[in-house]
């Protein structure tokens, strides 16, 4: 399934996983007034989650979901990346063969450069790539740049807001046939709310909308996680992907997903 464009992968890696060389010497310390404290950070904050579901009997299904999040915040830089994969299949009662009913891969990376270590404002670069043949597109990609701001309402609650222009490209699927690539300019608007409800519970809500000439792509997710121990948590999430325009009218514009996963932080 994965048919990445080299340029897309290069952009994701460069934007989300590396800071410029002049900042590399400071990777062991950061001073961020938005976090209301001076904290020592030696490594990336990373978490991996996994969900599995198997049913048997009259209906046999297999569902697999995995996701990796990584972030780092130091000096003038805020970096983050996401890898998300979902696959499901169901046995065809007539033929006895397995039929794939869902297969989606999503990858994104973002780098924010704050005007100063204490500044709420920043300039961001965001890029994403998604493959989901059941969505009516063979793939969809985005590159955007713009203004971002983080507002901390308390020690346990903050929100990020972003807006800026960008570029989107995709390959529609019509009647099972992959069409030539299309592209257009877009305006991207995004927000992310993080609330540490208690020492063991956390709420995360995020939404983004990329408005282009013909299509507006919207993503949203709300999740709540509860710690089992210092490294392991149980997470419940509801997410949705929406395309305002599909050339293949047989496809649904909205895809939703409800998941319960185990999250390991390291």
């Amino acid at each position: 399934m994965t048919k990445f464009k080299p340029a897309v992968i290069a952009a994701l890696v460069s934007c989300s996983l590396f800071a410029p060389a002049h900042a590399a010497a400071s990777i062991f310390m950061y001073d961020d007034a938005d976090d209301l404290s001076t904290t020592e950070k030696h490594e990336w904050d990373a978490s991996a989650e996994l969900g599995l579901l198997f049913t048997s009997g009259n209906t046999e299904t297999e569902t697999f979901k995995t996701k990796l999040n990584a972030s780092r915040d130091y000096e003038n830089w805020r970096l983050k990346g996401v890898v998300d994969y979902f696959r499901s299949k169901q046995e065809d009662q007539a033929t006895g063969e397995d039929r794939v009913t869902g297969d989606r891969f999503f990858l994104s990376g973002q780098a924010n450069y704050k005007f100063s270590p204490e500044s709420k404002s920043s300039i961001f670069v965001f890029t994403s790539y998604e493959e989901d043949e059941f969505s009516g597109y063979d793939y969809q990609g985005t590159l955007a740049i713009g203004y971002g701001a983080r507002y901390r309402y308390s020690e346990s609650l903050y929100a990020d807001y972003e807006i800026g222009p960008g570029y989107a490209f995709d390959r529609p699927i019509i009647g099972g046939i992959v069409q030539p690539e299309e592209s257009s300019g877009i305006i991207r608007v995004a927000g992310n709310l993080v609330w540490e409800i208690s020492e063991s519970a956390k709420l995360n809500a995020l939404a983004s909308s990329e408005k282009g000439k013909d299509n507006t792509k919207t993503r949203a997710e709300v999740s709540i996680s509860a710690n089992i121990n210092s490294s392991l948590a149980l997470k419940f999430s509801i997410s949705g992907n929406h395309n305002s325009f599909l050339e293949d009218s047989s496809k649904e514009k909205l895809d939703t997903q409800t998941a319960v996963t185990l999250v390991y932080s390291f």
Side-chain angles (χ1 to χ4, degrees), residues 30 32-35 71-73 77-80 110 112 114 118-122 147-153 157-162 192 194:
Y30 80 101
D32 190 349
D34 294 343
D35 291 335
S71 63
R72 195 168 201 170
D73 195 341
W77 292 95
R78 182 178 298 125
L79 311 173
K80 57 185 175 181
Q110 181 167 329
N112 287 62
K114 294 176 285 185
E118 298 81 14
S119 177
K120 292 181 173 63
S121 300
S122 63
Y147 171 79
R150 168 169 291 187
Y151 288 91
R152 184 171 286 278
Y153 303 103
L157 177 65
Y158 71 86
D160 292 323
Y161 306 97
E162 297 163 355
N192 184 23
V194 178

Side-chain angles (χ1 to χ4, degrees), residues 10-18 79-80 109-111 125-127 143:
L12 286 167
V13 172
S14 63
C15 289
S16 65
L17 300 183
F18 296 101
L79 311 173
K80 57 185 175 181
Q110 181 167 329
V125 177
F126 171 85
T127 183
L143 176 63

Side-chain angles (χ1 to χ4, degrees), residues 238-251:
I238 301 175
S239 61
N241 291 341
H242 182 269
N243 287 284
S244 64
F245 173 78
L246 293 177
E247 296 191 44
D248 190 342
S249 59
S250 66
K251 298 291 185 180

Side-chain angles (χ1 to χ4, degrees), residues 41-222:
K41 303 230 1 168
H42 293 283
E43 299 177 353
W44 286 79
D45 285 336
S47 64
E49 63 183 84
L50 177 67
L52 297 170
L53 174 64
F54 300 94
T55 65
S56 61
N58 293 322
T59 302
E60 295 191 6
T61 63
E62 296 180 13
T63 302
F64 172 80
K65 175 179 172 61
T66 184
K67 188 174 184 179
L68 175 66
N69 283 279
S71 63
R72 195 168 201 170
D73 195 341
Y74 63 94
E75 293 293 341
N76 294 68
W77 292 95
R78 182 178 298 125
L79 311 173
K80 57 185 175 181
V82 177
V83 180
D84 191 354
Y85 180 67
F86 169 80
R87 180 180 175 87
S88 64
K89 60 182 180 180
Q90 181 175 346
E91 183 183 59
D92 191 311
Q93 296 296 316
T95 64
E97 297 180 355
D98 289 337
R99 177 171 58 90
V100 176
T101 56
D103 195 347
R104 182 175 64 87
F105 180 86
F106 176 80
L107 177 69
S108 72
Q110 181 167 329
N112 287 62
Y113 181 79
K114 294 176 285 185
F115 299 148
S116 70
E118 298 81 14
S119 177
K120 292 181 173 63
S121 300
S122 63
I123 298 295
F124 77 87
V125 177
F126 171 85
T127 183
S128 68
Y129 181 83
E130 180 178 17
E131 291 182 6
D132 184 355
E133 297 181 10
F134 293 89
S135 69
Y137 291 91
D138 184 42
Y139 61 74
Q140 293 177 284
T142 300
L143 176 63
I145 184 171
Y147 171 79
R150 168 169 291 187
Y151 288 91
R152 184 171 286 278
Y153 303 103
S154 70
E155 292 187 7
S156 61
L157 177 65
Y158 71 86
D160 292 323
Y161 306 97
E162 297 163 355
I163 185 171
Y167 169 83
F169 59 90
D170 56 61
R171 292 189 67 179
I173 300 176
I174 304 177
I177 301 175
V178 178
Q179 305 299 308
E181 182 175 291
E182 300 177 349
S183 62
S184 68
I186 60 168
I187 293 293
R188 173 179 167 81
V189 179
N192 184 23
L193 176 72
V194 178
W195 179 25
E196 294 183 1
I197 303 172
S198 68
E199 292 183 358
S200 60
K202 184 178 182 179
L203 174 72
N204 195 320
L206 59 89
S208 66
S209 183
E210 298 163 356
K211 181 174 178 56
K213 179 181 178 181
D214 298 317
N215 182 46
T216 298
K217 182 174 178 60
T218 303
R219 297 171 54 87
E221 179 180 300
V222 177

